């Protein structure tokens, strides 16, 4: 960890003093060493996903690259080697989860959106097991819109009006139902249910008018408990088919929450205090307000107004013996009075003013604290100390200037320590240091291209005027259909430098990076004052209180556990075997340690791989219990990005959905798109399949003979159960044979796992649901050479089978751990030869890993689609030193 040791300190009367800070054994030095030790012991991680676009349609693919960085160093992380990425529905349930291998901080993957999904506001969440120790607030969590056109015939447009009825909140919802062409569903029956926080609040029926509209009203009698929810509306179509639409209720009132934040923690008497103000409406979005500050005599002291997205600041000089309140005026003409935080008679204030070159920090002291010993000001970012200064508290104002070139990009935490080395004031400041970013230059042969023309793109990356080797992700879209919302974009800068260190919702995060003018800097500084943030807490450092580490970082895939007796006593030196037939036969052995623990480490396997773990005591007895270590799941918390929720998803994405519908229709005509076809209801009468859970490759129940659980009740081993029960099947020394196969043993398939014939008596008959006997060539051929002696397909009991209980065979346990997902490759057509087929792609090109060479150069190419417009190339990347890059390049297609 690096620290500046000689730092300038400027006093208010203009005398420049230089202090030499020595890292000796004084108490303050020991405190800094504690911080260093703390962050070294408990390093943190951040995750960013580069998505190909901010919204999608059913049938689309979501392509993304993940950047995992060490929050302390900013470099690609080596803490965790596995990343979990989840797609979460509006019901806060995980619809899909994949696990990706992280190599040098990079990985990539994708989600396919089947037409079984419905339109709505979904979330993409990404985290490592190690990040779970810090809490879900610091996970990557992005709300995306998913629309539906090709599998949807009903569009809704909903508007809300709010009013008060005594203490209750009345909501009037107007819902308009149309088809995809905008034709209203007139005189159609609608039934509905209103749910707030999953509690049913109202139900009813209505009929749409000639414009396809219905009006729904309901009362929220407990607004403090129920703040949002949904309307579940069921529309009956002319063909009597019913369509269910879930419409978000983002809020039940127009209420605006206004909060005031003293600049460095407290209001202090007789000192000029900068106060931040933040006003947020019930939908989670900033709401601009204005008003005045009055004292306890009702006298107006100053006026205020928010400057950007409901955030602003003003100066107040509180006087002794006075209390203050804010009279807030809202856009609708209403007013409210809010008390300001209590004014302290004594204290410190850190106030910050930044210019192009420096961060200028002033420390203000109340008169009674002058001469109370030496003060220390520390500037740190994620536990790295970049600035330390000491000064005697002989003056009421102390000013210091910190060069921005010596600070990293991101949130800097300024902390003032008293003479007793206790933190007395804190202030956040954001630094956007252009010198610690990679400069990327994109060039194409020309500025305008034809449809389906090949585009060759050259990329040059430099850092500190030297070529940079880095890994980049590339997304190319047509802005005609994928309209960018630049201010609201989540990109590598907004995530890794800003939002990942802030708790709560940040509205339009990229606004703060688009420009570097004075207004943007002021708005960003107001965000620092108002948005609460704590990643490193000094009180934990001082008290040597580390976080509760419940989750260890995943360095590799492993299968581990403990072997015990039935009484729970660990069994050392037990032989533990791991079997799998997924992707080929795999077997490995190990011995348990003195505590009965075993570990198969450094494994590599894909998702859905099935294993069988077998254990035997040191005396080769199988009466043991196997308890496997299972990676705990992560609960789904409520969506913090409520401001990004869209009520009318299909309406908001109508242009994109029309374009994507043409694309999907063309793929369907060519037979290369999977699509669910819903048939009319048909009643089919069939006998119950006795082996419905079977993994039989011929299909469940397609066997020469089937033995069910009720036939296995009166034998202690499977050998006894099978002997003489099936014609032509004999048992020799516990191994099954078919008499006609000249001594070739039968293969055993246990819950999809290929086992050898002598494994038969390791299985408890009471645990078996069905045994399918495959004897004939027609049934064994699909198993190839392994089916030459015949096959026994054994299926164990599970919920919904013949038994309501699920038991385990002694000494054997099946296991399907979460393996690595294998990403698909983005398809990009080639038009080197003439091709008259239409091309309606919306994502033109996606490449998650383009690496520049030693000269900082890289090149890639692709073909445009049939659609004209402005094409947008978004490039994001990072080098091995953690330097970030992002650039946007556009060209025309005519």
């Amino acid at each position: 960890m690096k620290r500046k040791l000689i730092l300038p300190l400027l006093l208010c009367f203009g005398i420049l003093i230089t202090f030499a800070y020595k890292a000796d054994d004084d108490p303050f030095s020991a405190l800094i060493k504690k911080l260093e030790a703390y962050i070294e012991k408990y390093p943190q991680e951040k995750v960013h996903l580069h998505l190909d676009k901010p919204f999608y349609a059913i049938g689309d693919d979501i392509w993304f690259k993940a950047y995992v960085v060490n929050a302390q160093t900013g470099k690609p992380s080596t803490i965790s080697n596995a990343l979990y990425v989840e797609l979460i529905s509006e019901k806060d349930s995980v619809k899909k989860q994949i696990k990706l291998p992280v190599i040098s901080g990079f990985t990539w993957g994708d989600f396919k959106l089947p037409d079984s999904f419905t339109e709505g506001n979904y979330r993409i969440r990404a985290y490592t097991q190690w990040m779970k120790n810090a809490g879900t607030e610091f996970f990557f969590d992005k709300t995306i819109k998913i629309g539906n056109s090709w599998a949807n015939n009903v569009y809704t447009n909903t508007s809300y009006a709010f009013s008060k009825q005594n203490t209750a909140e009345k909501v009037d919802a107007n819902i308009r139902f149309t088809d995809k062409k905008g034709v209203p569903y007139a005189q159609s029956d609608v039934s509905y249910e209103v749910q707030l926080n999953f509690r049913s609040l109202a139900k009813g029926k209505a009929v749409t008018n000639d414009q396809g509209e219905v009006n729904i009203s309901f009362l929220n009698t407990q607004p403090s408990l129920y703040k949002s929810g949904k309307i579940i509306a069921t529309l009956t179509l002319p063909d009597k088919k019913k369509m269910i639409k879930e419409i978000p209720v983002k809020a039940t009132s127009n209420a605006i929450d206004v909060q005031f934040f003293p600049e460095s923690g407290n209001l202090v008497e007789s000192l000029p205090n900068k106060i931040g103000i933040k006003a947020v409406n019930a939908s989670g979005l900033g709401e601009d307000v204005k008003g005045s500050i009055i004292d306890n005599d009702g006298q107006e002291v100053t006026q205020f107004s928010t400057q950007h997205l409901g955030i602003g600041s003003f100066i107040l000089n509180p006087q002794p013996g006075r209390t203050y309140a804010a009279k807030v005026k809202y856009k609708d003409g209403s007013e409210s009075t809010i008390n300001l935080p209590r004014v302290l008679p004594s204290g410190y204030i850190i106030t910050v003013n930044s210019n192009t070159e420096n961060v200028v920090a002033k420390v203000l002291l109340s008169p009674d604290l002058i001469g109370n010993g030496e003060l220390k000001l520390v500037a740190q970012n994620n536990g790295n100390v970049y600035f330390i200064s000491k000064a005697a508290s002989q003056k009421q104002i102390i000013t210091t200037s910190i060069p921005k070139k010596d600070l990293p990009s991101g949130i800097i935490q300024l902390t003032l320590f008293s003479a007793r080395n206790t933190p007395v004031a804190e202030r956040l400041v954001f630094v956007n240091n252009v010198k610690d970013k990679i400069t990327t230059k994109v060039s194409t042969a020309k500025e305008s291209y034809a449809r389906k023309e090949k585009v060759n793109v050259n990329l040059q990356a430099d850092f500190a005027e030297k070529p940079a080797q880095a890994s980049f992700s590339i997304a190319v879209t047509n802005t005609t259909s994928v309209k960018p919302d630049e201010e609201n974009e989540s990109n590598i800068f907004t995530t890794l430098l800003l939002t990942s260190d802030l708790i709560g919702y940040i509205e339009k995060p990229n606004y703060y990076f688009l420009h570097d003018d004075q207004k943007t800097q002021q708005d960003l500084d107001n965000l620092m004052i108002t948005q609460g943030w704590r990643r490193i807490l000094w009180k934990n450092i001082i008290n040597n209180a580390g976080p509760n580490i419940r989750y260890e970082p995943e360095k590799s895939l492993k299968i581990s556990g403990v072997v015990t007796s039935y009484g729970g006593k660990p069994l050392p030196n037990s032989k533990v075997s791991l079997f799998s037939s997924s992707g080929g036969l795999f077997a490995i052995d190990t011995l348990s340690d003195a505590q009965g623990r075993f570990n198969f480490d450094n494994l590599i396997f894909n998702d859905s791989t099935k294993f069988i773990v077998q254990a035997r005591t040191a005396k080769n007895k199988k009466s043991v219990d196997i308890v496997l270590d299972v990676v705990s799941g992560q609960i789904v918390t409520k969506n913090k990005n409520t401001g990004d929720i869209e009520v009318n998803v299909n309406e908001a994405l109508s242009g994109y959905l029309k374009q994507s519908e043409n694309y999907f229709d063309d793929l369907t005509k060519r037979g290369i798109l999977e699509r669910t076809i819903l048939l009319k209801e048909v009643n089919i009468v069939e006998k119950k399949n006795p082996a419905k859970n079977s993994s039989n490759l011929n299909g469940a129940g397609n066997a020469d003979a089937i033995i069910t659980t009720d036939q296995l009740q009166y034998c202690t081993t499977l050998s006894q159960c099978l002997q003489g029960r099936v014609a032509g099947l004999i048992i020799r020394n516990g191994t099954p044979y078919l008499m006609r196969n000249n001594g070739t043993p039968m293969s055993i398939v246990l819950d999809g796992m290929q086992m050898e014939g002598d494994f038969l008596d390791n299985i408890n008959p009471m645990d078996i649901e069905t045994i399918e006997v495959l004897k004939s060539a027609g049934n064994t051929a699909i198993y190839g050479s392994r089916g030459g002696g015949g096959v026994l397909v054994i299926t164990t009991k599970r919920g919904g089978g013949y038994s309501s209980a699920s038991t385990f065979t002694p000494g054997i346990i099946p296991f399907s751990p979460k393996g690595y997902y294998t990403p698909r490759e983005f398809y990009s057509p080639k038009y080197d030869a003439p091709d008259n087929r239409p091309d309606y792609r919306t994502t033109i090109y996606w490449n998650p890993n383009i690496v520049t060479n030693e000269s900082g150069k890289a090149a890639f190419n692709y073909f445009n689609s049939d659609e004209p417009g402005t094409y947008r190339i978004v490039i994001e990347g990072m080098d091995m030193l953690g330097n970030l890059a992002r650039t946007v390049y556009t060209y025309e297609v005519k």
Side-chain angles (χ1 to χ4, degrees), residues 405-417:
K405 64 180 181 63
D406 296 332
L407 297 173
S409 290
I411 296 176
I412 307 297
Q413 181 178 352
L414 299 176
T415 308
L416 181 69
F417 289 86

Side-chain angles (χ1 to χ4, degrees), residues 476-732:
V476 183
T477 55
N478 184 349
T479 60
T480 302
S481 53
V482 183
K483 299 187 186 312
D485 183 2
E486 287 193 327
E487 288 191 355
N488 200 35
E489 283 182 333
S490 293
N491 56 56
I492 200 167
F493 291 157
T494 64
T495 302
L496 295 183
L497 300 181
L498 183 65
T499 60
S500 61
D501 281 333
L502 293 169
I503 295 176
Y505 172 63
I506 309 300
E507 186 177 354
K508 298 186 182 300
N510 200 40
Y511 161 80
Y512 303 104
F513 292 85
L514 290 176
H515 306 287
D516 195 29
D517 54 27
Q518 186 174 356
K519 182 181 185 309
T520 304
Q521 290 182 12
Q522 182 60 52
D523 292 338
L524 181 55
D525 196 57
N526 287 336
L527 179 68
M528 294 296 102
I529 297 174
T530 57
Q531 195 74 36
W533 170 77
R534 290 295 182 271
R535 185 181 278 274
I536 301 296
L537 297 178
W538 280 108
K539 66 177 182 180
N540 290 344
I541 308 299
I542 294 171
N543 297 326
N544 293 319
N548 182 20
I549 302 300
R550 298 177 55 196
Y551 308 98
E552 295 297 326
E554 287 184 279
K555 294 296 185 181
S556 66
L557 296 181
K558 66 178 182 178
I559 296 176
S560 60
V562 62
V563 181
T564 69
S565 65
Y566 287 153
K569 180 181 178 181
L571 298 176
N573 298 318
S574 297
K575 181 183 178 182
V576 185
S577 302
L578 182 67
F579 304 95
S580 176
S581 61
S582 302
L585 185 63
F586 167 83
I588 189 173
D589 296 330
T590 189
L591 293 176
S592 62
D593 63 15
Q595 287 74 43
R597 293 202 57 81
F598 64 90
N599 184 18
F600 298 101
D601 206 352
N602 297 317
L603 301 176
I604 298 177
F605 54 87
N606 293 330
D607 206 4
S608 301
T609 301
K610 297 181 179 180
F611 294 92
I612 285 182
V613 181
Q614 175 183 280
R616 295 290 182 266
T617 67
K619 295 181 179 181
N620 202 32
K621 292 183 178 180
K622 57 185 178 182
S623 301
V624 300
D625 272 342
I626 305 172
V627 181
L628 295 174
D629 298 330
V630 179
V631 176
S632 62
Q634 175 59 48
I635 63 171
V636 180
T637 55
K638 285 188 172 295
N639 189 356
K640 68 176 182 179
N641 301 313
T642 54
D644 289 336
I645 294 175
E646 176 62 53
V647 173
N648 304 303
V649 172
N650 278 347
E651 193 81 13
L653 303 182
S654 58
Y656 174 72
L657 292 177
K658 182 178 180 180
Q659 177 71 15
S660 62
E661 184 178 16
N662 294 332
Y663 175 60
F664 295 140
D665 285 345
D666 177 62
L667 294 181
T668 303
K669 291 176 183 178
R670 288 191 267 162
I672 57 177
L673 184 69
E674 298 176 5
R675 183 168 183 173
T676 302
I677 300 175
L678 185 63
L679 302 176
K680 291 184 178 180
E681 182 178 345
V682 178
N683 291 324
I684 300 175
V685 179
E686 183 188 19
K687 291 183 179 180
K688 182 178 180 180
N689 187 342
K692 65 176 183 177
N693 295 319
S694 165
S695 58
N696 189 344
L697 296 181
N698 298 293
N702 293 322
D704 297 292
I706 300 177
I707 302 171
T708 58
T709 185
D710 56 330
Q711 299 172 284
L712 305 174
Q713 296 179 6
Y714 306 107
C715 47
T716 57
T717 66
L718 274 186
S719 297
Q720 294 175 346
C721 295
L722 294 176
Q723 187 71 53
R725 191 177 291 275
V726 179
L729 190 155
I730 60 174
I731 306 295
R732 296 176 188 164

